[in-house]
Amino acid sequence: MSRGSIRTLMLGDAQAARVVPPSGFTAQLTLFVSGAMAFLAVFALALSLSAGRLADRWAEELARSATLRINAPADQRSAQTDAALKILTQTPGIASARALTDEEQTALLTPWFGADLNLDDLPVPQLIEVIEADPGYDAAGLRLRLAAEVPGAVLDDHTRWRRPLVDAAQSLRRLGWFAIALIGGATAAMITLAANAALSANAQVIEVLRLVGARDRYIAQAFVRRFTLRALVGASVGVAFGLAGVMALPEASQEGGFLTGLGFQGLSWLFPLLIPLLGAMVAFAATWSAAHRTLKELT
Amino acid sequence: MIELENVGYSYGGGELLSDVSVQLIPGSFHFLTGPSGSGKSTLLKLCYGALTPTAGRARAFEADLRDLNRDQMAMLRRRIGVVHQDCRFLDHLPLADNIALPLTVSGHDASQEGSDLKELMQWVGLSERAHALPPELSGGERQRAALARAVIMSPDVILADEPTGNVDWEMSQRLLQLLVELNRMGKTILIASHDLALIRAAKSQVSVRVLRISDRRLQLAGADL
């Protein structure tokens, strides 16, 4: 496909388009299916992008922090906390370590125990927030040292429960891209079927055109142009509806968690605008190959 | 111009034509006659490459038709005007567009050659019908329109398959007149027809050679016509 013929196609050879009789009903079906596919593609795209964002955010946030828990009898707690903090400051790869204040710990427990909680009544372990430097620390080595010097300390570096979450988000992203690929393939199949139907319905037209000296390229162009424009228009409408649907979804919020993050952010709002172009390209390729297959069988 | 050399054509096991040799020289006027089903249409199709001979060679404008690719074949069709037996048109386009179709598909701007088109339509007597759709035309009008479409690219050769098939005597005379005029302009004409009266009428105006298909072979008919 040369650039010239694409330009001819887009500028439009009105004469070439006219030689094929207009087709009312099937044209609307093509429009409808391209629109529906584009609509679905918008949501698949939103899913992939959101899942991607989620995976990145979780990986980023959780990778950088760890928690040290001091389970010690009340009288030793403060001493062990100081010992642990001392060890942590000496450990290479740790940017900072800070014992949470009683107020912070109360705040963390409030959702479970209510606001009027008195920490002194409970054997609550002391938490130490550890912020990792880049490069990070040696978790195994730190554990060994803590076990020797601060018997009540438990290091929780979050990898244990971070990994399955990030994996889940990443499979969700893959699933989204796979759905987009399927939608593209289904669109190509549908356009091929429609183009084949149009080509056989117009067998006589094609025969007349060959008889008067039309080249294959000219005949194919009439069909290709028609289906490409239909896919472009149908997909544009579908994307418009899809975007409206995504905008109607609730905003991302702390309470809603992951589900409400579905949608586009910033520049990613531009991605769905590529869907009609991709749809038109798929239609172009599908019709072009269908037309050439059909024409090759004729004299 | 067009040359068949020991051409044979068979399909489905049966042989329709065998050992056909004929040469259409520029400016000649040939009739091709023979009973129905004897292979007149097939012979014409072999001449413009719609069918490929199963034996022998078909050549047009010094090129073996077998060697032409699809685009070259399309170019060849622009130099050979064909009046099809059932003169097919694009039924959704008005007559003027149908007649101008060879110009359109070869990338000419049909509107620029509007005066030629008008002249041509006048010549075949269809000026009044320019905006009619093909299904609205009578048999004779369709035949004349097919002839106009066949000559609009000013081809060197005109092949006509039963051009007077479904028209009355007066109309067939008129069509013949058009073909004779084209021949006088130097075009090579080959008409397949079993209308002997038409052939006689032509003989009185131009020098005509009559080819007859008989028993799968092509013979030059004698003076008996």
Side-chain angles (χ1 to χ4, degrees), chain A residues 15 18-22 204-205 207-218 295-296 298-299, chain B residues 48-50 70-71 73-75 77-78 82 84 88-90 92-94 97 101-102 104-105 149:
Chain A
Q15 288 289 356
R18 276 185 72 218
V19 298
V20 182
Q204 194 195 317
V205 170
E207 201 181 325
V208 170
L209 291 173
R210 279 298 293 175
L211 186 74
V212 300
R215 288 191 295 165
D216 284 354
R217 183 199 180 89
Y218 181 90
L295 287 169
K296 227 173 261 172
L298 304 171
T299 51
Chain B
Y48 66 86
R70 294 182 59 79
D71 278 356
M73 188 63 86
M75 294 305 160
R77 300 268 168 87
R78 296 179 190 177
V82 181
H84 227 260
R88 291 188 196 138
F89 297 100
L90 301 185
H92 64 287
L93 291 182
D97 287 349
L101 196 61
T104 317
V105 302
R149 187 180 68 186

Side-chain angles (χ1 to χ4, degrees), chain A residues 20 27 37 63 67 143 184 196 212-213 236 267 280 288 295 299:
Chain A
V20 182
M37 288 297 182
T67 311
R143 276 205 184 89
N196 276 338
V212 300
S236 302
L267 281 179
W288 192 259
L295 287 169
T299 51

Side-chain angles (χ1 to χ4, degrees), chain A residues 131-163:
Chain A
I131 305 295
E132 200 177 319
D134 195 17
Y137 60 93
D138 169 19
L142 180 62
R143 276 205 184 89
L144 281 175
R145 195 169 166 206
L146 287 169
E149 299 181 27
V150 192
V154 179
L155 178 69
D156 183 356
D157 68 356
H158 300 177
T159 29
R160 209 159 20 93
W161 52 281
R162 177 183 81 207
R163 200 163 289 139

Side-chain angles (χ1 to χ4, degrees), chain B residues 5-156:
Chain B
E5 206 180 304
N6 305 321
V7 161
Y9 187 76
S10 15
Y11 62 92
E15 194 175 40
L16 189 60
L17 295 169
S18 93
D19 207 19
V20 169
S21 293
V22 66
Q23 200 176 3
L24 303 183
I25 54 167
S28 61
F29 198 121
H30 284 86
F31 268 101
L32 177 64
T33 186
S36 295
S38 59
K40 295 192 294 290
S41 299
T42 304
L43 189 67
L44 288 190
K45 283 180 179 162
L46 290 168
C47 287
Y48 66 86
L51 291 175
T52 312
T54 46
R57 294 203 305 170
R59 298 165 65 82
F61 306 107
E62 267 93 64
D64 193 326
L65 294 186
R66 212 184 300 244
D67 299 337
L68 298 183
N69 65 26
R70 294 182 59 79
D71 278 356
Q72 289 168 327
M73 188 63 86
M75 294 305 160
L76 178 78
R77 300 268 168 87
R78 296 179 190 177
R79 301 181 64 185
I80 302 179
V82 181
V83 182
H84 227 260
Q85 188 170 11
D86 45 9
C87 27
R88 291 188 196 138
F89 297 100
L90 301 185
D91 288 346
H92 64 287
L93 291 182
L95 187 59
D97 287 349
N98 263 290
I99 290 176
L101 196 61
L103 292 175
T104 317
V105 302
S106 55
H108 292 71
D109 188 352
S111 58
Q112 269 180 14
E113 322 213 1
S115 61
D116 287 356
L117 178 64
K118 212 173 244 175
E119 214 171 285
L120 182 63
M121 293 197 63
Q122 206 160 2
W123 184 64
V124 293
L126 288 172
S127 304
E128 308 291 307
R129 307 290 276 150
H131 301 293
L133 292 178
E136 301 164 9
L137 300 177
S138 72
E141 287 171 330
R142 288 173 73 88
Q143 294 284 8
R144 281 180 283 152
L147 182 60
R149 187 180 68 186
V151 302
I152 196 162
M153 292 285 282
S154 190
D156 306 306

Side-chain angles (χ1 to χ4, degrees), chain A residues 50 53-54 57 246-247 249-265:
Chain A
S50 315
R53 267 201 315 272
L54 201 65
R57 203 177 68 212
V246 169
M247 278 185 222
L249 290 174
E251 289 285 318
S253 68
Q254 208 60 47
E255 293 76 21
F258 139 77
L259 264 177
T260 53
L262 204 61
F264 302 102
Q265 276 177 12

